[in-house]
């Protein structure tokens, strides 16, 4: 049974027009302050952040992140790959104090979306759904990744968290794919949003979460904390090991 369907045309239209509803946003002030209406070139939304936000001073961008961060509960091989990706993408990652690592080696019944404080190693782990195209038989495990339009699959690689908008699934956050394996994320409307099928009670009822159309869908009561801990200008790294 497929418990979730993101409405791609409507959500994609909102992404491309930057459609927002003012007021009614129960998210941190730092988040809501950055929400504006903006349209970009070639049908893609421009960043709603200042022009200098994604291009910090060269002295800051040149500093590599530590590869020795111990993040309890996070696969260390995956963590090392995430840190290497952060170094590889240099100044595009403006904020390097926290990252999120989505370990798609684990099943959807396990908290596999790890929000990591790189300064002290603290980890907060959340449930997260994967795309139906990555798990056609609905086994609860990612079988494959895809960067293709219409694939409904999750894609792997490093993502830059961008601005916020309100769409079909309520408060959501745009993502920019930084690797060849996910550089179509913005066009595909791969975002972070909340969904009923990513709530913990789905595991009690079905043994696994429902599926998105490639988005990082978290529980409805978890989104505010995800936004607060992650925010714009940071990195999400998604892969299997």
């Amino acid at each position: 049974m497929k418990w979730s369907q993101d409405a791609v045309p409507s959500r994609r239209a909102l992404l491309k027009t930057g459609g927002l509803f003012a007021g009614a946003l129960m998210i941190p002030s730092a988040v809501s302050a950055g929400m504006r209406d903006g349209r970009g070139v070639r049908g893609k939304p421009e960043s709603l952040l200042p022009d200098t936000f994604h291009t910090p001073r060269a002295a800051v961008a040149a500093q590599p992140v530590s590869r020795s961060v111990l993040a309890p509960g996070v696969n260390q091989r995956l963590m090392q790959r995430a840190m290497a990706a952060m170094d590889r993408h240099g100044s595009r990652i403006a904020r390097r104090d926290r990252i999120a690592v989505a370990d798609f080696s684990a099943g959807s019944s396990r908290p596999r979306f790890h929000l990591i404080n790189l300064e002290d190693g603290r980890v907060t782990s959340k449930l997260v759904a994967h795309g139906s195209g990555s798990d056609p038989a609905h086994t609860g495990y990612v079988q494959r990744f895809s960067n293709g339009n219409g694939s409904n699959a999750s894609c792997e690689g490093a993502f830059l968290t961008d601005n916020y908008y309100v769409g079909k699934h309520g408060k959501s956050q745009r993502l920019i794919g930084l690797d060849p394996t996910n550089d179509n994320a913005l066009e595909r409307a791969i975002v972070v949003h909340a969904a009923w099928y990513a709530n913990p009670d789905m595991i009690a009822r079905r043994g696994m979460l429902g599926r998105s159309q490639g988005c990082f869908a978290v529980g409805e009561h978890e989104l505010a904390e995800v936004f607060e801990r992650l925010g714009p200008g940071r990195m999400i790294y998604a892969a299997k090991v």
Side-chain angles (χ1 to χ4, degrees):
M1 176 184 297
K2 189 174 182 179
W3 307 320
S4 63
Q5 283 293 333
D6 297 338
V8 172
S10 60
R11 191 174 73 253
R12 183 175 297 162
L14 281 167
L15 280 166
K16 290 185 177 181
T17 60
L20 303 172
F21 297 122
L25 292 180
M26 299 301 292
I27 55 180
S29 59
V31 170
S32 59
M35 300 179 72
R36 302 287 189 275
D37 184 29
R39 300 188 182 190
V41 297
R42 298 180 182 176
K44 293 186 177 181
E46 64 179 349
S47 174
L48 303 189
L49 301 168
D51 291 340
T52 57
F53 190 87
H54 294 306
T55 54
R57 292 175 300 172
V60 176
Q63 296 176 356
V65 295
S66 171
R67 296 178 184 276
S68 61
V69 175
L70 296 178
V74 182
N75 183 286
Q76 284 304 296
R77 285 187 297 162
L78 189 59
M79 188 72 187
Q80 289 171 1
R81 287 168 58 181
M83 303 308 258
M86 183 172 283
D87 283 345
R88 184 170 66 251
H89 292 296
S91 62
R92 298 200 69 181
I93 311 298
R95 297 183 174 182
R96 297 181 168 214
D97 55 339
R98 297 191 295 273
I99 64 171
V101 174
D103 183 358
F104 283 130
S105 302
S108 66
S109 63
R110 293 175 55 190
R112 56 184 180 171
F113 193 59
H114 306 294
L115 303 168
I116 304 164
N117 186 322
L118 296 177
E119 296 176 343
D120 59 18
R122 286 181 298 173
V123 179
T124 300
S125 300
K126 306 289 186 184
L127 296 169
V128 67
H130 55 252
S132 60
S134 289
D135 181 16
H138 205 169
T139 65
Y141 288 86
V142 168
Q143 307 296 328
R144 68 182 187 95
F145 293 107
S146 176
N147 194 30
N149 287 327
S151 68
N152 294 340
S154 297
C155 45
E156 62 180 331
F159 300 81
L160 175 66
T161 60
D162 201 52
N163 52 3
Y164 299 87
Y165 70 104
V166 178
K168 177 179 175 63
H169 293 283
K171 298 179 285 287
S172 306
Q173 183 173 30
R174 295 178 173 96
L175 300 176
I176 299 171
L178 302 179
D179 292 319
T181 53
N182 67 354
D183 59 5
N184 202 25
L186 194 62
E187 178 66 24
R188 291 182 58 204
I190 303 300
V191 304
V192 178
H193 67 76
W196 62 270
Y197 56 80
N199 290 335
D201 66 340
M202 293 302 298
I203 297 172
R205 291 164 51 194
R206 305 287 186 176
M208 66 189 80
L209 299 183
R211 298 165 295 173
S212 68
Q213 287 187 323
C215 292
F216 296 88
V218 300
E220 293 170 306
H221 298 294
E222 304 293 343
L223 187 66
E225 184 179 359
V226 170
F227 282 171
E228 183 177 7
R229 290 181 180 273
L230 196 54
R234 294 188 174 92
M235 191 184 80
I236 296 174
Y237 187 77
K240 294 177 65 175
V241 290

